[in-house]
Each structure stands twice: as C-alpha cells, then as structure tokens.
Amino acid sequence: MAAERCTVDGTVNSLIFQNEDNGYTVLRLDTTDGEQITVVGCIPCAAPGEELIITGEWKHHPTHGVQIQAETVERYMPRSESGILNYLSSGAVKGVGPATAQLLVQRFGEETLDVLELEPERMTLLKGITARKAQEIAASFRAQAGMRRLMEFLAESGLSAALAVKLCKRFGDQASEAVRANPYLLCDEFFGVSFAAADQIALSGGAEADSDARVEAAVLFTLRHNCGNGHVFLPRPKLTAATAAMLDLSEDCVERAVDSLIETGKLVEETVANVQACYLAGMYEDEVFVSRRIGQMCEEDADQGRNVEAILEEIQARQGIVYAPEQRQAVETAAYSGVFLLTGGPGTGKTTCVRGIVALLERMGLRVELAAPTGRAAKRLGEACGREAQTIHRMLGMSYNETLGEVAFAKNEKEPLDTDAVIVDEMSMVDLNLMRSLLAALRPMCRLILVGDADQLPSVGPGNVFSDLIRSRRLHVVELTEIFRQARRSAIVRNAHAVNAGETPVLTPNQGDYFFLRRRMPEQVAQTIVELCQVRLPRNMGIDPGQIQVLSPTRRGAAGTAALNRVLQAALNPAAPGKREKICGDLLLRQGDRVMQIKNDYDIIWQKEDGAVGTGVFNGDVGTITEIDPSGELVTVLFDDRMATYTTEMLPELELAYAVTVHKAQGSEYKAVILAAAPCAPTLMVRNVLYTAITRAKDLLILVGDDQAIVQMAATDRRSRRYSGLKVRLREGRRAR
C-alpha cells in the first residue's frame, strides 16, 4: 500500500524490540480508538503505560502487515494510578520492579511520579527503600524525564529523536538544559546538526544576530565545514568573508569573533607562505606534530649495512627477477632511510619494489608491518607480499569513545607499535588526522615506507599529506617512471599514463583490455551499462556481474550513481518470491544487493566465521546483503569475512554499490571497470578523476559515454587547491609558535 501520513495517540502496551544505543524501538500501542497497532521508530526509553502521540506514515511490512513508521513523537507520562503502576512495573525505572511499584502507587497514588522526580526522600517511608536506593530510583527517573523533555524540544525544532540519544550520552540528564543554554553546541561534528538548524533554534529563543556566541559558532562551523572539503586551514580574509556572508553581518563583527577565538585557544593563527592561516586548534596541532615527527625521522637514517648488495642479489635470485635501476634504487634507499616515499603510476613496478623492500628489511633482522587505509587495499597488499596486512585503524588498535564522539587508538606515544618498520600502501588516501595517529605510534628509529600514486585523487579528509611530503623535498623519494614491457601490453596502463600526461585516451572500440563505446545521451549510457553488466560481459567474456564495478564521476543525472544503481539493481538482483526487501526512505534494499557503507561507524558490531568479534565499519566498505530478518527490523551484511547487522535506524548509512563514484572507489581495484563518462559538474570534469577511474581496472576497462566529455577531462588539470601548511613547515623546518 502507498505510504499515508497519519497521527495517532494511545498508550504503550508492550515493547517488542528496543536498541538502547540508538533508541530504535518497535512497540505495540493501544490507541484511543480501541485498536492495537505496531509503531516503529526512534523512541528512546519507551515503556508500557507511557502515552504517545505519533505522527508518521503507514507502511505495509511483507511479514507483519500494517505498521506506523514514526517521524515525530510527543510523549506524556501516565496520569492514572493504573497507568503509573503499569509503567513502573515494566522495569523502565532502574530499581523499581512490580513489587516496589505496587508499594509506591499504593502509598502515593497519582502523585507517585512527582515524588520520584521532586521528593525522592519520601520513598524512604516505605519498607525496604533506603535513602541511597531512593536517590538511585530518582536519578533513573530524572534521566528519562530529561530525555522526554529533550525529545519534545528537538521535535519542536524539527530535529530527530535519535539526536536525543547522542546528547544524553554527552550531557546526561542535563542535556536539555545544555542545548537550551547553547544551541550552537549541536554543530559539533559528533551531533552533525547544520549551523542553519542550530541558528534557527537560537534565534527563535531570543539570541541576538550579532551575539558573540552566534558569530563565534559560525566561524568554527565554517572552518569545520572546510575541513570536510579537504582544507587544513583557511586564509583569514576568506574565513571572515565566508562567515560574514553566511550571517549577513559585517566582516568587522566576524574579525572580533576570530580574535576572541584565538585568545581562548580555539583557533590558532599563523603566517604560512605569506598567508594569514586560521586553524582549528586540533588541526594546527596535527599539522605541527606531523611536521615535527617527520623532521625527526629524516634525521634518523640508519647505516645501510655492508651486506645490502649481497642480500639484494639473493632476493633477485629467489624471486626470479632483475630490478630495473629505479627499482633497485628504491629498495636500497629503504635500507637506510628513516622515512622513505615510493611513488609511480600503474605498470611501473611499485608492487615488485614493496616485495623487495619487505624481503630486504626482514633479512636485515627487522620486524615489518604492512598496512593500508582500507580493508580492500590492505587485502591486496597482503596478497602481493604473501603475508598479513592490516588497515591502519586495526594496526593501531582503534576504539571509539561514545560519550566524546572521538576515535582513540591503543597504539600511541605511550604504547608504540612493537615493530621496526611500517610500510603503508595507497598513501594518497591518508589524511592529516590519520597520519598524526600513525606517526604517534612509531617508536624512535622505526622506519616508515610510504607507497602510493601522487597523481590520484587526494584523501577525503583534510590535508594532501602524500603530495605535501613529496613536494617538501625534505624526504627520500623515488618516483618510478619506467613502464615495464609486460605492462606496456595493457591498453589500460598505456591510456592511464597518457591521461596523466594530459593526452586524450585512445577512443577506439577495442584495444584488447580497453574498450570505448560512444554514447552521447546519458540515458543511452545507462542502458548500455546495464546490457554490459547483465548480458554482454557475462556471456561474451565470462565475467561474473559481481566482478564488475560501475564508476561515475557524479551521483546526479541519468548517468550518475543514484540512477545507475536503481537500474542495475532491477537488472542484476530483481524481486523474486521469497527474496526479502526493506524500504528505507527512497532506498529499496533487497537480499543479494551489493551495498556500501557511506560513513565511519565505530559502533557496528561484526563477527567472523571463526567467532572473532570486533567493531567498526568504515566509509567505502562494500558488502552484500545476506539476510533481511522476517520482522524486517534487522539487515545482515557480509563485508568480505565480517558479518554486520544493521537496525532500521542504521540503514541510512548504507547505499547501493552496483555503481559508485570515482572518489568512493579510490584505493580499490576491480577485475572489470565500466566508467560512465557523461558531462557533469565542472569540478568533476578533471584529469585526476579520469586517471583515478582508469587505474581502478585490473583486467578490463570500458569507457561508455561522450567522447567530448572524456577529451575535456583529460585536458583539464584543475586540481582543487587545498589549504595546508605541511609542505612549507617541512621545507622550512618550522616548529610551533
């Protein structure tokens, strides 16, 4: 049945399911009309006896029939003695069971809940309730009362009830008061509320347009927002102009706020390359730490050792290869460098070098750890070297503080990694924050070898670390430029290097492992891609659809990932009897779908077949939906060897992944890649997007689209500038002020 909006009120009869971490709840509601209905949604701390007014949409669940998906919830505590008894008997208040509930209601009647919140000492008049127990009962009830008041306040502002759970984790039963006193705290990354939404709450509550709190919050928000765009700092003139425009205030007013934030230490201002650079305090500390630690490591070069030449000859003989001059230089340099960078495009032998470096360092008696930013990249690195490789997060022992909303690592300056050398692949994906954490976990004299392709897209997070390190000219760097004979046979490799040099890739139909199919209309692009995935590649080349990855520079339009995912889902995983489905907003999920995690979630619990359990699924992880449980409330996803379960409230963190953006594909390699090449936003019609897309293909690459769009992308070397001081700090050997 079609979704139909409605408002119903009634009393909670029973709870079917409740997730304490995110507030997701399934309950039975006895309506005032005498019906019993099922309600699903975020209703933290719901309990039998509580009175609710639910606004939402009727949905038809394939197994459980009609139910309401709650969007807003008004909550009222029970007022009758029977309702209060039902509520307290449910165990909703810690320390109160059925027997205690009976005693309380018998003594205090309809005043019982007021006694719990306002006069807990009166409970000590009852046998068995000590002063300590009375205070514990009161604390539990006040926490729930605070949650209800907070939810009501958020609902009035159009914010989700799920936000109340996060606020209560941070501020406890004072959360409502904290938000009312300073709505701008909602702009914290942990809460994820836009400045506009927080600003509306503040202004409607009487805040002045030019108040210090408002302007300072806007400055901080502008800097945080631009960190999301890759910037480590903003020039002061740009910061003040952008903030003033957002607030419709004078730049002088913003300048005063910037000065105030600098005085309180929330911002740091420093001249970087003749620019007045304004940093968030944490970003400044990260950049200074990375610069200082890298500078120290540059001075930690070890003796090369007398046996390196002999060891290299043994390694070449054992591996059956002869290193090219650049490769030999790379392996030798790693033998004496405190920190060493290896870069080069496809087919230049980076993997061969890494294998040689691992073998050489181990023959020198050093313990070596291999790591990469993503699980797929780590798996590929491990397979190439014939040994275990981990994600950087796992190697550092990542954990997550739910209260602070911060990532923490077990390995750090106090508890460093027990290894002599660390090799990190796909370094272009590593942002400044992660680089700081990695360096903090290296003990003195531990070697660091960083491997990547500096011409690929930069990291999603702030900074341009790999490129900055190379361009600083302070470190040992070897760039591999020779394309080896075997690689030269690949049209994928040849065209990747052509694009990187600013040349248009060859646009002929068949070059062996590379094809171009001209389709000028975006709808034709989509239709052709479906035919390739569903019929032509499986039938003509024996490539399973699961080994094909469709890429697009953009999410939008008929040739964008959103539209492509819908048509590819219908073609590759159509509806069938017994195949369960789950609707989440505009997204239809089906058993067998390929999906991607689109944000870091440190709380998701996963389990491996061997029983090992861990937490954390990260932005860009791709898996397959293996099960949607009969109730429709749980969705199970297999990420490589990890099985994770999602509740309905968590599903917005997933999207279909038959087609993904080029940015999301960074760090991954696929047997077959199809690139949808249609005109899109100018910022995406650039060379490094095309280059990154081409280099994702291992065995087969097919470009489908407009030849003029491809010509434009290859010719446009307009890399978005990222404000970062790392290169300058390294080059000048600068320290913190």
Side-chain angles (χ1 to χ4, degrees), residues 332-352:
E332 288 180 345
T333 304
Y336 60 81
S337 299
V339 57
F340 167 60
L341 277 64
L342 176 63
T343 185
T348 57
K350 292 195 300 295
T351 300
T352 299

Side-chain angles (χ1 to χ4, degrees), residues 215-216 219-220 256-267:
V215 183
E216 290 179 13
V219 171
L220 296 173
R256 289 192 294 271
V258 171
D259 288 336
S260 175
L261 289 166
I262 292 171
E263 289 178 11
T264 58
K266 295 179 181 178
L267 256 62

Side-chain angles (χ1 to χ4, degrees), residues 141-178:
F141 182 74
R142 285 170 183 158
Q144 294 196 34
M147 172 71 79
R148 286 192 298 276
R149 285 194 292 270
L150 179 60
M151 287 181 63
E152 291 167 8
F153 177 69
L154 295 175
E156 292 170 1
S157 305
L159 298 176
S160 74
L163 180 59
V165 179
K166 288 187 173 183
L167 285 164
C168 285
K169 285 181 179 179
R170 177 75 61 88
F171 300 108
D173 58 7
Q174 298 300 309
S176 182
E177 289 73 12

Side-chain angles (χ1 to χ4, degrees), residues 141-350:
F141 182 74
R142 285 170 183 158
Q144 294 196 34
M147 172 71 79
R148 286 192 298 276
R149 285 194 292 270
L150 179 60
M151 287 181 63
E152 291 167 8
F153 177 69
L154 295 175
E156 292 170 1
S157 305
L159 298 176
S160 74
L163 180 59
V165 179
K166 288 187 173 183
L167 285 164
C168 285
K169 285 181 179 179
R170 177 75 61 88
F171 300 108
D173 58 7
Q174 298 300 309
S176 182
E177 289 73 12
V179 176
R180 291 175 188 274
N182 179 19
Y184 296 108
L185 63 81
L186 295 171
C187 298
D188 186 289
E189 188 177 4
F190 177 58
F191 302 121
V193 175
S194 70
F195 177 82
D199 197 36
Q200 180 62 40
I201 296 172
L203 292 175
S204 63
E208 296 293 333
D210 61 351
S211 69
D212 292 344
R214 181 176 188 246
V215 183
E216 290 179 13
V219 171
L220 296 173
F221 178 81
T222 300
L223 281 170
R224 281 194 294 266
H225 175 77
N226 279 279
C227 284
N229 292 332
H231 300 298
V232 179
F233 68 82
L234 282 183
R236 181 160 179 158
K238 288 185 177 290
L239 173 61
T240 55
T243 306
M246 181 173 71
L247 298 179
D248 194 22
L249 294 174
S250 69
E251 291 191 17
D252 287 342
C253 182
V254 178
E255 290 281 3
R256 289 192 294 271
V258 171
D259 288 336
S260 175
L261 289 166
I262 292 171
E263 289 178 11
T264 58
K266 295 179 181 178
L267 256 62
V268 176
E269 183 179 43
E270 188 171 278
T271 302
V272 177
N274 298 318
V275 172
Q276 284 179 280
C278 287
Y279 295 81
L280 292 168
M283 295 305 303
Y284 177 78
E285 292 168 4
D286 286 350
E287 187 174 273
V288 169
F289 182 93
V290 171
S291 173
R292 182 179 66 246
R293 187 70 183 93
I294 289 290
Q296 292 170 346
M297 295 178 74
C298 289
E299 300 168 2
E300 292 175 356
D301 288 352
D303 292 335
Q304 180 174 341
R306 290 170 294 178
N307 298 323
V308 168
E309 292 292 330
I311 294 173
L312 281 177
E313 295 303 324
E314 292 178 15
I315 292 171
Q316 289 182 110
R318 188 167 62 249
Q319 295 183 353
I321 60 172
V322 176
Y323 293 128
E326 288 178 344
Q327 291 179 312
R328 189 175 185 106
Q329 179 191 0
V331 179
E332 288 180 345
T333 304
Y336 60 81
S337 299
V339 57
F340 167 60
L341 277 64
L342 176 63
T343 185
T348 57
K350 292 195 300 295

Side-chain angles (χ1 to χ4, degrees), residues 454-519:
D455 294 313
Q456 290 182 16
L457 291 167
S459 60
V460 174
N464 201 2
V465 174
F466 193 50
S467 179
D468 282 351
L469 293 177
I470 292 173
R471 293 184 297 125
S472 73
R473 300 175 186 170
R474 278 285 308 279
L475 293 83
H476 297 291
V477 179
V478 172
E479 180 180 5
L480 303 177
T481 58
E482 180 184 352
I483 307 174
F484 290 93
R485 184 182 307 166
Q486 183 176 356
R488 283 199 299 269
R489 299 192 191 109
S490 166
I492 297 174
V493 173
R494 294 196 305 271
N495 281 285
H497 285 276
V499 167
N500 203 29
E503 302 170 11
T504 301
V506 177
L507 300 178
T508 56
N510 186 351
Q511 297 181 57
D513 62 353
Y514 164 77
F515 294 77
F516 170 64
L517 303 178
R518 183 179 287 105
R519 302 290 187 273

Side-chain angles (χ1 to χ4, degrees), residues 508-552:
T508 56
N510 186 351
Q511 297 181 57
D513 62 353
Y514 164 77
F515 294 77
F516 170 64
L517 303 178
R518 183 179 287 105
R519 302 290 187 273
R520 290 285 171 82
M521 301 300 294
E523 293 76 14
Q524 294 176 325
V525 172
Q527 180 182 355
T528 300
I529 288 174
V530 170
E531 293 171 358
L532 288 166
C533 294
Q534 186 179 27
V535 180
R536 294 167 64 176
L537 293 185
R539 183 180 62 194
N540 299 336
M541 303 186 74
I543 300 176
D544 185 271
Q547 297 178 302
I548 304 168
Q549 184 60 63
V550 177
L551 304 181
S552 175

